[in-house]
Amino acid sequence: MASSPTDYFESFDGVRIAWRELGEGRPVVLIHGYFSDAATNWIRYGHAAKIAANGFRVIMPDLRAHGESDRPHDPAAYAPDTLTRDGHALIAHLGLTNYDLGGYSLGARTTSRMLATGATPGRVVFAGMGLDGLLHTDRRVDHFRNILTRLGEHPRGSPEWLAEAFLKTTKGDPVALLGILNTFVDTAAEDVERFVQLALVVAGEEDQDNGSAPDLAAALPDGRYVEVPGGHMSSVVKPELGQAIADFLAA
């Protein structure tokens, strides 16, 4: 099953955002992780195809500074919650009213911010995310700022080295990606407790990069946790990840 050609729209501030679609049926918007893009996160390893096969229209944006979206270097393009506003702008551009929403890692964090600022999906997917990753973003900001400001200096095999290697495969723009770190906003615990949608929390069994995924599932009013193989960088390539999301949405 081939995805649609890339489409584009202008977000709230004129930055051009790309998105792809796969399948027909109930819309589900899936947002990729940091350093990644829609093709790598959702299409390459078959996750989108699994979901689409269950009767879904899978909508996959490239976050600004990623993939085929614009990669501005102007700091003004990276105000707090800018990715959140891009997400709302995509929903409005497509005229979606009855849809599901989710994301992996930064995509899950963006999903939480969209929920906290008024998004009303029917069901929600938090993949590669734990409770601490929503409540306290500073640790991940420091981690990625260290990676991007010391490229070529990280010990071979370290988490930083592996992240830099992944950045090279997606042809990331370090200047634009540094800007993305300024968009991060903590989600308050009381906001998480108000996310009333049926929610899937799915993460690799070795993934503690964003804190505890079971704790996130427990904090959500209607959350359920599914464990899949791998860690933060490896679970996203496992077929079990896409299957868990497909099964949840189809249930």
Side-chain angles (χ1 to χ4, degrees):
M1 185 185 296
S3 66
S4 69
T6 305
D7 286 311
Y8 302 88
F9 79 103
E10 286 194 0
S11 192
F12 68 94
D13 60 350
V15 169
R16 192 174 74 153
I17 302 297
W19 88 92
R20 297 190 188 193
E21 297 193 16
L22 185 66
E24 297 179 353
R26 178 179 173 82
V28 54
V29 178
L30 294 178
I31 307 172
H32 65 79
Y34 195 43
F35 288 11
S36 191
D37 51 45
T40 302
N41 211 140
W42 303 118
I43 298 172
R44 180 171 300 170
Y45 302 105
H47 307 323
K50 283 188 174 73
I51 297 164
N54 284 341
F56 285 85
R57 173 190 174 193
V58 187
I59 300 164
M60 301 161 284
D62 282 341
L63 295 168
R64 69 173 61 200
H66 296 78
E68 297 180 67
S69 291
D70 283 351
R71 304 177 175 196
H73 285 189
D74 183 355
Y78 302 102
D81 261 342
T82 289
L83 302 184
T84 307
R85 297 183 68 184
D86 287 341
H88 287 302
L90 176 64
I91 300 297
H93 175 76
L94 295 175
L96 302 181
T97 56
N98 189 15
Y99 65 97
D100 299 321
L101 175 66
Y104 190 87
S105 194
L106 175 56
R109 187 175 291 116
T110 304
T111 295
S112 78
R113 296 303 307 151
M114 290 177 67
L115 290 170
T117 54
T120 56
R123 290 167 295 184
V124 177
V125 175
F126 295 104
M129 182 53 60
L131 181 59
D132 191 60
L134 299 184
L135 303 184
H136 308 289
T137 60
D138 54 337
R139 181 169 61 90
R140 296 303 281 171
V141 166
D142 292 343
H143 170 69
F144 284 114
R145 195 178 303 281
N146 175 53
I147 291 169
L148 289 167
T149 56
R150 298 181 57 237
L151 293 173
E153 301 176 21
H154 306 295
R156 186 175 184 85
S158 66
E160 294 81 4
W161 183 89
L162 291 170
E164 182 178 347
F166 179 62
L167 174 66
K168 292 175 182 175
T169 69
T170 57
K171 299 179 172 60
D173 180 332
V175 174
L177 290 168
L178 272 170
I180 288 290
L181 297 176
N182 297 324
T183 72
F184 284 23
V185 175
D186 295 348
T187 300
E190 52 267 31
D191 283 333
V192 174
E193 293 167 2
R194 285 194 285 262
F195 296 164
V196 297
Q197 291 88 349
L198 180 64
L200 170 69
V201 179
V202 55
E205 60 188 348
E206 303 164 15
D207 186 359
Q208 292 291 322
D209 282 22
N210 289 292
S212 168
D215 284 355
L216 173 56
L220 293 162
D222 200 0
R224 62 233 26 223
Y225 172 62
V226 173
E227 184 177 275
V228 296
H232 195 70
M233 294 289 289
S234 59
S235 63
V236 74
V237 311
K238 307 288 188 184
E240 290 88 348
L241 180 76
Q243 194 63 56
I245 297 171
D247 290 347
F248 168 75
L249 292 173

